[in-house]
């Protein structure tokens, strides 16, 4: 596995700066090899190309961590059922991916790299097919939007209720969402912002950005009564009910969503663990949605909720970088750590926790783009 991981990372470095071109070449080759697959994808492919690159990078990064590698790929396989992916499609995808990698590396590709990607892809396909086969749930649920609340120009909080069947999930997990009335076959992942409830309501926090077609539709166009499609839950940023360790939560932007769900779950049974929530925003105007957490903090003395601004000289509360924040209130060694937000927020937090010698197995995180 060491040599395999080394070869994958070496070969990926040859195309990492041209990932967009890799994705374009991959899909071009895929639809030439199997034109019938085009109907499974949205008309506008920009976000779909991003999802491909995200999956490749994630698989390559986790291949040396067998547990996370297996969990991620099985979850990905369950999720891909929403695209009507069949086992026979995986061979076509593997051929197209290798063809695109060879073409883009312009003579730098070698037999060692080729064999490494063949072996890795065989494992990836095997785990994804197994994940899809072992899930008895439907590939997606139809869900009715019950409430839709705009918080400023960019953020909406919406609740929806799956129809026909309950959607089983754990606090901290995320799901893929489609708004078929507005953007058919365009899916994007969003964390569920509430712990599971008996009425099976799902809450989502969505930020609209210019690059996110579906996020913009969910914020600006979707209304109560609309139908969404919601796919199987994924993610391992969940609580260990056996742990007695105190908890650190760092949320950036709408990364607050899974942190809120985790705290709600803890509020149902926790009595002895201190829980520290830091809601990180660039400016005071970016802080949102803390009222439910403040209400929980008023009832549970073990919970503290602190908003922090990284770039607002007029903010009268806590200010500073994530490093300043965690050093000021730390150390966090021995805590269960949950981190959710943008790549920058998560990366900065992980670096501080590593410098404080927090064991990697105590850190769980999710990264959000424009969502």
């Amino acid at each position: 596995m060491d040599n395999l991981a080394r070869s994958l990372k070496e070969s990926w470095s040859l195309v990492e700066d041209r990932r967009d071109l890799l994705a374009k070449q991959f899909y071009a080759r895929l639809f030439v090899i199997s034109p019938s697959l085009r109907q499974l994808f949205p008309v506008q492919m920009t976000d779909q190309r991003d999802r491909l690159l995200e999956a490749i990078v994630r698989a390559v990064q986790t291949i040396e961590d067998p547990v996370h590698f297996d969990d991620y790929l099985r979850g990905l396989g369950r999720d891909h059922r929403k695209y009507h992916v069949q086992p026979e499609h995986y061979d076509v995808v593997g051929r197209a991916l290798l063809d695109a990698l060879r073409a883009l590396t312009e003579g730098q590709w070698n037999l060692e790299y080729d064999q490494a990607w063949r072996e890795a892809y065989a494992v990836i396909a095997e785990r994804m097919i197994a994940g899809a086969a072992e899930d008895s749930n439907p590939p997606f649920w139809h869900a009715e939007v019950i409430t839709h609340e705009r918080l400023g120009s960019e953020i909406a909080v919406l609740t929806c209720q799956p129809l026909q069947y309950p959607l089983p999930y754990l606090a901290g997990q995320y799901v893929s969402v489609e708004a078929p009335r507005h953007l058919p076959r365009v899916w994007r992942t969003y964390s569920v912002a509430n712990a599971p409830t008996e009425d099976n309501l799902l809450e989502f926090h969505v930020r609209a950005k210019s690059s996110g077609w579906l996020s913009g539709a969910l914020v600006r166009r979707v209304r109560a009564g609309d139908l969404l499609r919601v796919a199987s839950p994924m993610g391992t940023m969940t609580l260990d009910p056996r742990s007695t360790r105190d908890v650190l939560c760092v949320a950036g932007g709408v990364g607050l969503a899974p942190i809120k769900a985790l705290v709600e779950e803890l509020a149902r049974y926790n009595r002895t663990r201190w829980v520290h929530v830091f809601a990180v925003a660039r400016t005071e105007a970016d802080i949102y949605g803390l009222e439910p957490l403040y209400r929980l903090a008023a009832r549970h003395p073990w919970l503290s909720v602190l908003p922090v601004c990284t770039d607002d000289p007029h903010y009268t509360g806590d200010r500073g970088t994530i490093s300043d924040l965690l050093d000021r209130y730390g150390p966090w060694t021995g805590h269960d750590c949950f981190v959710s937000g943008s790549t920058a927020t998560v990366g900065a937090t992980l670096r501080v926790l590593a410098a404080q010698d927090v064991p990697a197995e105590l850190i769980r995180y999710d990264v959000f783009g424009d969502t």
Side-chain angles (χ1 to χ4, degrees):
M1 186 64 77
D2 288 345
N3 288 336
L4 175 63
R6 177 185 55 78
S7 296
L8 289 174
K9 291 177 180 178
E10 281 183 6
S11 55
W12 180 250
S13 69
L14 300 177
V15 298
E16 189 168 15
D17 293 338
R18 294 178 289 171
R19 290 183 292 180
D20 287 347
L21 183 57
L22 172 67
K24 290 177 182 177
Q25 294 208 13
F26 163 75
Y27 280 109
R29 283 166 166 74
L30 179 66
F31 299 147
V32 166
I33 296 171
S34 182
S36 63
L37 290 181
R38 183 64 182 87
Q39 65 183 338
L40 303 183
F41 294 90
V43 174
Q44 170 55 248
M45 290 289 292
T46 303
D47 282 350
Q48 184 63 40
R49 288 195 289 267
D50 292 342
R51 301 284 78 74
L52 166 72
L53 298 173
E54 178 183 312
I56 293 174
V57 172
R58 182 77 175 268
V60 170
Q61 288 176 339
T62 60
I63 197 167
E64 294 176 287
D65 184 343
V67 173
H68 286 132
F69 182 70
D70 187 72
D71 287 343
Y72 172 67
L73 291 173
R74 288 178 184 272
L76 200 62
R78 290 191 294 271
D79 181 67
H80 271 59
R81 294 180 304 145
K82 68 179 185 277
Y83 295 120
H84 306 288
V85 172
Q86 301 300 317
E88 58 269 22
H89 293 153
Y90 284 88
D91 178 60
V92 178
V93 169
R95 288 168 54 197
L97 178 60
L98 273 169
D99 284 351
L101 286 166
R102 294 187 195 109
L104 202 59
T105 49
E106 299 174 352
Q108 296 174 286
W109 197 256
N110 59 43
L111 288 176
E112 180 183 349
Y113 295 158
D114 206 79
Q115 185 61 32
W117 279 91
R118 287 179 183 276
E119 292 179 13
Y121 184 77
V123 175
I124 289 170
E126 177 189 5
R127 305 288 170 82
M128 290 182 66
I129 292 170
E134 67 192 13
D135 193 341
S136 59
N137 288 311
F140 56 80
W141 286 254
H142 297 279
E144 180 183 0
V145 177
I146 305 300
T147 65
H148 186 286
E149 180 185 6
R150 291 284 294 269
L151 301 179
S153 61
E154 289 188 347
I155 295 177
V157 174
L158 56 150
T159 60
C160 65
Q161 188 169 48
L163 307 175
Q164 301 165 300
Y165 311 98
L167 192 158
Y169 71 96
L170 299 174
Q173 289 191 301
Y174 57 91
V175 296
S176 291
V177 176
E178 179 199 23
R181 177 183 173 187
H182 303 289
L183 288 170
R185 302 194 303 278
V186 175
W187 294 81
R188 195 165 182 85
T189 55
Y190 301 91
S191 280
V192 183
N194 62 294
T197 60
E198 290 184 0
D199 57 12
N200 204 32
L201 282 176
L202 307 176
E203 178 182 320
F204 297 107
H205 297 182
V206 184
R207 182 187 297 274
K209 293 287 188 180
S210 58
S211 59
W213 288 51
L214 180 57
S215 294
L218 290 174
V219 171
R220 302 186 180 102
R221 299 168 66 187
V222 166
R223 296 292 181 265
D226 283 358
L227 288 181
L228 306 177
R229 289 175 179 162
V230 181
S232 294
M234 298 181 288
T236 58
M237 199 180 82
T238 56
L239 294 165
D240 179 358
R242 301 163 298 178
S243 176
T244 59
R245 292 180 289 270
D246 293 337
V247 177
L248 165 68
C249 298
V250 178
V254 289
L256 180 69
I259 299 301
K260 175 177 172 287
L262 292 170
V263 173
E264 289 181 356
E265 183 72 16
L266 282 165
R268 294 173 176 172
Y269 64 84
N270 180 51
R271 297 293 182 273
T272 60
R273 305 167 69 184
W274 295 100
V275 179
H276 310 274
V277 176
F278 297 102
V280 181
R282 192 177 65 84
T283 68
E284 185 173 8
D286 297 320
I287 298 172
Y288 86 101
L290 295 182
E291 290 77 11
L293 292 176
Y294 288 148
R295 289 195 292 269
L296 286 174
R299 296 199 302 267
H300 301 287
W302 44 260
L303 173 62
S304 64
V305 180
L306 183 66
V308 180
C309 288
T310 61
D311 189 24
D312 189 342
H314 303 295
Y315 182 57
T316 57
D318 270 67
R319 291 181 293 161
T321 65
I322 291 176
S323 178
D324 295 335
L325 170 73
L326 295 182
D327 286 341
R328 186 185 315 149
Y329 291 99
W332 304 101
T333 308
H335 285 65
D336 286 335
C337 301
F338 299 90
V339 190
S340 180
S342 67
T343 302
T345 298
V346 172
T349 305
L350 296 183
R351 286 190 292 272
V352 175
L353 295 179
Q356 293 187 5
D357 296 322
V358 177
E361 61 270 19
L362 299 186
I363 304 172
R364 299 189 177 191
Y365 61 92
D366 273 333
V367 177
F368 291 80
D370 67 347
T371 61

